[in-house]
Amino acid sequence: MTAQDYAPLTPETLAARLGALPVLAGLVGPAESWTVKEVGDGNLNLVFIVTGAAGQAIVKQALPYVRLVGESWPLPLKRSFFEYHALTRQAARDPGSVPEVWHFDEAQAIVVMEFLSPHVILRHALVEGRQTEGLGERLGLFCARTLFRGSDLSMTAADRKADLALFAGNVELCDITENLVFSDPYFDAPMNRHTPGLEPAVARLRDDLSLKVAAQHLKLAFSSRAETLLHGDLHTGSVMVTATETRVIDPEFATYGPIGFDVGMLIANFLMAHLSQPGHEAAPGDRAGMQGWLLGVVETIWGTFCEEFSHLWRTERQGMLYQASLYEDQGHALAAEQALADVLGMIWRDTLGFCGVEMHRRILGLAHNADFERIADTGTRAACEARALAMGRQLMLGAGALPGIDAVTAMARRMNKENHL
């Protein structure tokens, strides 16, 4: 099939085109037993569930354009190449955290991988008020392990530079992040949209000159500080869960950038889930417990990240940065701990800034999230979104004044009671 010209799969053609793959025949069963369902609900790709006599698989194929917009926004197929390579690295750096990849076809932009069942998209579960045991700890470990082990703190300089060169080719998806996340929300960009009734909050935000400067400082950091291999799009729509298990998916935006980027984007989506909960109440106050749980997840993500990052610092710091030859080998372990504290402080400030900008772009830019979008009453939705916009601003401009994650969750509790329209 790789010798053919690229062609999008359909439920009707998939079995004929992929049925001869030994891995699918072995794990799913003979092609004549297959049923195929297209389930992609994201912004970019085709996603199929293939069910056969022996099992199931996911087949994901990139389209040559942004699915959310259509053929007027072309996008190269090579993003599947970066997704495949990111998945293999994440699987090695944090085993069991991502789906197992079974097959990759670069020419057809196809990744065949393990079907996660009975997992659901985390964002959908949060909208419905469902909780997952151990969620914060699992995501904190994923961030610490993949971000530490993908950096110059762990990798050899040669391996890390080779990886940097490989992922530097993910230009077009980085361009989406650089514009849709860091620039478009702060002016009247053509693809922006927002909830009716949110106009006063939007006007205040776009007139805030200090905020615009802060957003561009963050854009500079994202585009120039190649600290580690990022997932690049880590949010609650890129996580699949059961009541007790968590897996991370969809790293096609993978690139090198600041360690705090993934952590900040992830935490932002839990804060938005918290602030959106009043819009999903069947009766006043019946989501209060869910709101408290969500803030507990936020605290656990950051606490687990710091704990595991510190453990890896002390046990796996074998790269060119902060070498043990400068510290422990000379009996200066306390200096190594001081360096660790400094690095975690830098990551903390970055995390807060990226957290704030993600809250803005998910409300004002092109790609919104279901946490707010599924609130049927536009007045309630606008009120919830206005609180999130205000919180994002405080995180971006006041990072230096927030001493720890408890201060962030306290801010979220306070914001939840305020009117920012």
Side-chain angles (χ1 to χ4, degrees):
M1 187 179 63
T2 56
Q4 302 173 6
D5 292 335
Y6 168 87
L9 295 165
T10 69
E12 293 73 31
T13 64
L14 189 146
R17 291 179 59 186
L18 301 184
L21 287 176
V23 67
L24 279 176
L27 292 169
V28 178
E32 55 267 24
S33 73
W34 292 3
T35 59
V36 180
K37 182 180 180 182
E38 210 280 306
V39 295
D41 63 353
N43 297 329
L44 299 180
N45 305 295
L46 297 170
V47 181
F48 303 89
I49 298 174
V50 182
T51 303
Q56 293 179 293
I58 287 290
V59 175
K60 182 174 181 179
Q61 185 182 36
L63 289 165
Y65 51 84
V66 177
R67 184 175 185 173
L68 177 65
V69 177
E71 295 184 12
S72 63
W73 189 348
L75 202 62
L77 299 172
K78 64 182 180 181
R79 64 184 185 273
S80 67
F81 170 88
F82 299 111
E83 177 169 12
Y84 164 72
H85 281 282
L87 283 169
T88 60
R89 284 151 178 77
Q90 290 166 352
R93 292 165 184 166
D94 187 18
S97 63
V98 299
E100 182 180 351
V101 175
W102 292 343
H103 176 76
F104 173 57
D105 184 332
E106 184 173 358
Q108 294 295 317
I110 290 172
V111 182
V112 180
M113 67 189 86
E114 172 189 7
F115 174 65
L116 299 176
S117 178
H119 299 68
V120 298
I121 297 294
L122 173 59
R123 194 186 304 281
H124 298 168
L126 299 182
V127 169
E128 294 166 4
R130 295 157 57 186
Q131 301 177 9
T132 293
E133 181 183 337
L135 178 64
E137 180 180 9
R138 190 68 201 83
L139 292 174
L141 290 173
F142 174 81
C143 289
R145 291 169 179 172
T146 58
L147 298 172
F148 185 95
R149 290 170 173 161
S151 76
D152 274 319
L153 292 166
S154 177
M155 298 177 71
T156 67
D159 287 346
R160 191 283 215 177
K161 286 177 170 60
D163 238 26
L164 174 62
L166 186 150
F167 284 96
N170 203 4
V171 175
E172 290 80 9
L173 268 67
C174 284
D175 180 72
I176 290 175
T177 300
E178 288 152 3
N179 289 301
L180 267 63
V181 173
F182 296 106
S183 292
D184 285 7
Y186 304 101
F187 74 106
D188 189 18
M191 289 187 291
N192 284 353
R193 59 188 179 90
H194 62 260
T195 300
L198 196 59
E199 289 80 9
V202 176
R204 286 195 302 271
L205 184 143
R206 291 182 178 156
D207 286 340
D208 192 328
L209 302 185
S210 295
L211 190 65
K212 291 185 178 184
V213 171
Q216 292 309 290
H217 287 333
L218 290 164
K219 186 174 184 178
L220 173 64
F222 175 80
S223 62
S224 62
R225 283 173 35 205
E227 295 171 359
T228 191
L229 179 62
L230 304 174
H231 178 285
D233 195 29
L234 189 56
H235 54 75
T236 53
S238 298
V239 179
M240 297 194 70
V241 296
T242 66
T244 59
E245 187 179 21
T246 301
R247 306 283 281 277
V248 178
I249 62 171
D250 291 351
E252 61 201 323
F253 281 80
T255 188
Y256 270 75
I259 291 172
F261 181 80
D262 277 355
V263 188
M265 301 287 271
L266 180 63
I267 287 175
N269 281 267
F270 282 100
L271 293 173
M272 286 186 283
H274 165 82
L275 292 168
S276 75
Q277 290 297 308
H280 302 296
E281 291 177 339
D286 71 359
R287 289 291 185 103
M290 186 67 183
Q291 285 187 296
W293 179 81
L294 285 163
L295 294 185
V297 171
V298 168
E299 293 172 354
T300 302
I301 288 172
W302 179 253
T304 302
F305 170 82
C306 291
E307 182 178 355
E308 182 69 3
F309 191 93
S310 299
H311 170 72
L312 296 173
W313 176 281
R314 295 167 186 138
T315 59
E316 295 187 14
R317 201 173 74 253
Q318 300 167 346
M320 72 173 189
L321 292 180
Y322 304 96
Q323 307 101 298
S325 59
L326 297 176
Y327 301 104
E328 292 90 344
D329 293 353
Q330 298 184 43
H332 301 319
L334 288 178
E337 292 298 305
Q338 178 60 58
L340 169 61
D342 291 345
V343 169
L344 285 174
M346 176 189 70
I347 295 170
W348 169 246
R349 291 185 292 274
D350 286 347
T351 292
L352 295 180
F354 292 125
C355 182
V357 82
E358 167 74 350
M359 295 174 83
H360 291 164
R361 75 99 170 195
R362 287 291 183 181
I363 295 168
L364 303 181
L366 171 67
H368 291 207
N369 63 33
D371 304 81
F372 295 123
E373 294 289 283
R374 287 198 191 175
I375 299 174
D377 182 79
T378 56
T380 301
R381 187 194 316 156
C384 292
E385 290 177 332
R387 297 181 188 114
L389 292 178
M391 183 167 184
R393 178 186 182 276
Q394 290 200 30
L395 292 173
M396 290 171 66
L397 296 180
L402 292 168
I405 197 66
D406 290 352
V408 174
T409 54
M411 181 192 300
R413 290 187 182 94
R414 184 177 70 252
M415 287 284 180
N416 187 60
K417 300 175 182 178
E418 296 177 353
N419 180 10
H420 286 272
L421 280 177

